[in-house]
Amino acid sequence: MVNKNSPSTKSRLLEQLRSLRETPVSGEELASAIGVSRVAIWKTTKALIAAGYPIEVHDSGYRIGAEATDDLLFPWEFGSHEGLMHYWSTTTSTMDRARELAEKGAADGSIAVAEAQTAGRGRSGRAWNSSKGGLFFTLVQTDRIPVLQYARGGMRAAAAVADAVRTITGAHAELRWPNDVYIGAKKIAGILTELRADGDRIKWTLIGIGVNVNNPGDQASTISCGELAGTHVSRRKILNAFLGAFRGLARVDGGELAKEWNARAFGIGSRVAVLSADHGTDKRLAADSPDGIFGGIDELGRAIIETGKGTELLDPGAVSLKWS
Ligand code: BTN
């Protein structure tokens, strides 16, 4: 029986080939190193070549070409996470695929990832530019937390995305409420959360994450990791760094999570205007809308706004903030 947690033959074969790049290795040697038959090595090699890996087959054995294969998003590229990864070359939206996975009872931590989306969506009904080169994935969470705490997954993911971008590009990524990731005044990543509740408990939460990696930004207000680094950036490395950072925040309670988020936040202590959720217009919600000083977020992900009349707590999704 295949153990879901042990690496697949594809993963182990690639590991062997990558560590022995210079000279071809015989099928027999590979078979004995991995513990499978030579036929399995041949079949796996054929599957990897079909997936686009530059594997050369010589009389003396197999060798992987020097061309970069560092940016591939196939499940077997994600180590211990392999069993949780679900890959699409193109799909409508990874939110759609993740929803199907969640409805079928997928394990907590399952991820739907796609090279490109034909109907990528952002918050407030906006479209999300999903051309090839960007990183588009949705994480399924199945912990049955109270609906009141629904924002936690997004808070945790936002902190992890900011850390991943910082780790891989060295750029200082900051969070803008509710969960946008910015470099200076330009957006580099966005997060969309959808959930299904069962009474007052969450059944599943989908956390959709889009990161501009090597795809051209569609507006003057966006930036990509590639532009920051001045070179091609590996989406696999960004996703792996995200997974590590996300795991690191696993047992953090709401209060601690808010602290982590606030430590990465832009604009705490600065004046903000509260706008309608679509952010497009400069229309104040009401004459007495709580424009004031942004005090970060609380344990439920609500924006804390200090106004002349007291403290207001704003639910994510209801409004957006604009820093003056
Ligand atoms: C936003 O800032 O408006 C949120 C953008 C979220 C985009 C990601 S890309 C992966 C997942 N699939 C989607 O269709 N949307 C999210």
Side-chain angles (χ1 to χ4, degrees):
M1 200 169 98
V2 179
N3 178 348
K4 271 197 130 188
N5 292 321
S6 64
S8 65
T9 308
K10 285 192 183 97
S11 162
R12 283 177 299 157
L13 178 57
L14 280 168
E15 193 187 357
Q16 287 290 323
L17 291 173
R18 283 169 171 157
S19 67
L20 305 163
R21 234 179 203 166
E22 296 312 315
T23 46
V25 198
S26 73
E28 199 170 342
E29 247 179 273
L30 288 169
S32 104
I34 296 174
V36 296
S37 69
R38 277 165 57 193
V39 175
I41 294 291
W42 170 235
K43 282 190 179 162
T44 309
T45 303
K46 274 205 302 187
L48 288 172
I49 290 172
Y53 288 83
I55 300 177
E56 300 161 9
V57 183
H58 300 266
D59 287 345
S60 51
Y62 305 87
R63 179 178 171 276
I64 192 154
E67 301 96 295
T69 58
D70 196 23
D71 190 24
L72 300 171
L73 298 173
F74 299 119
W76 52 84
E77 294 285 353
F78 290 92
S80 61
H81 226 85
E82 182 176 2
L84 293 170
M85 300 296 297
H86 301 263
Y87 169 91
W88 282 266
S89 163
T90 302
T91 189
T92 51
S93 161
T94 55
M95 302 305 281
D96 300 337
R97 301 293 77 78
R99 176 181 289 257
E100 287 162 4
L101 290 169
E103 286 294 347
K104 279 190 210 146
D108 188 52
S110 293
I111 287 182
V113 64
E115 304 275 349
Q117 302 180 115
T118 54
R121 49 188 192 259
R123 283 198 318 276
S124 309
R126 288 186 293 262
W128 184 258
N129 175 0
S130 304
S131 55
K132 211 166 161 33
L135 176 59
F136 316 108
F137 66 101
T138 301
L139 180 70
V140 179
Q141 288 207 288
T142 59
D143 29 341
R144 294 183 63 80
I145 55 171
V147 174
L148 202 63
Q149 296 173 3
Y150 79 94
R152 276 199 196 172
M155 290 156 68
R156 185 176 158 202
V161 171
D163 288 2
V165 170
R166 277 196 211 191
T167 303
I168 303 301
T169 68
H172 184 72
E174 291 178 315
L175 303 180
R176 292 196 185 206
W177 190 81
N179 276 321
D180 288 339
V181 185
Y182 271 71
I183 306 288
K186 295 189 170 188
K187 181 160 165 173
I188 196 159
I191 297 180
L192 175 69
T193 305
E194 295 176 359
L195 63 87
R196 178 154 175 206
D198 195 3
D200 63 353
R201 294 266 152 184
I202 288 178
K203 199 167 172 215
W204 45 253
T205 311
L206 309 179
I207 305 169
I209 299 171
V211 187
N212 302 327
V213 184
N214 302 302
N215 49 331
D218 55 351
Q219 305 159 27
S221 56
T222 62
I223 194 164
S224 68
C225 298
E227 285 171 77
L228 285 172
T231 182
H232 183 94
V233 171
S234 162
R235 296 162 306 159
R236 183 189 61 81
K237 281 189 183 163
I238 299 265
L239 182 42
N240 251 332
F242 166 82
L243 291 172
F246 192 75
R247 221 177 285 130
L249 293 169
R251 265 173 267 286
V252 174
D253 68 21
E256 284 296 317
L257 204 48
K259 271 194 204 154
E260 294 288 345
W261 197 100
N262 289 330
R264 294 159 178 81
F266 166 84
I268 292 185
S270 300
R271 179 157 289 278
V272 284
V274 180
L275 308 178
S276 58
D278 64 21
H279 206 89
T281 64
D282 213 28
K283 187 166 58 80
R284 308 275 165 122
L285 276 188
D288 64 346
S289 75
D291 290 14
I293 305 296
F294 179 56
I297 62 168
D298 72 359
E299 73 284 0
L300 296 179
R302 295 175 300 190
I304 303 164
I305 309 289
E306 303 296 346
T307 72
K309 296 184 203 145
T311 303
E312 295 276 349
L313 297 173
L314 305 177
D315 272 322
V319 290
S320 64
L321 300 180
K322 187 176 178 186
W323 279 262
S324 39

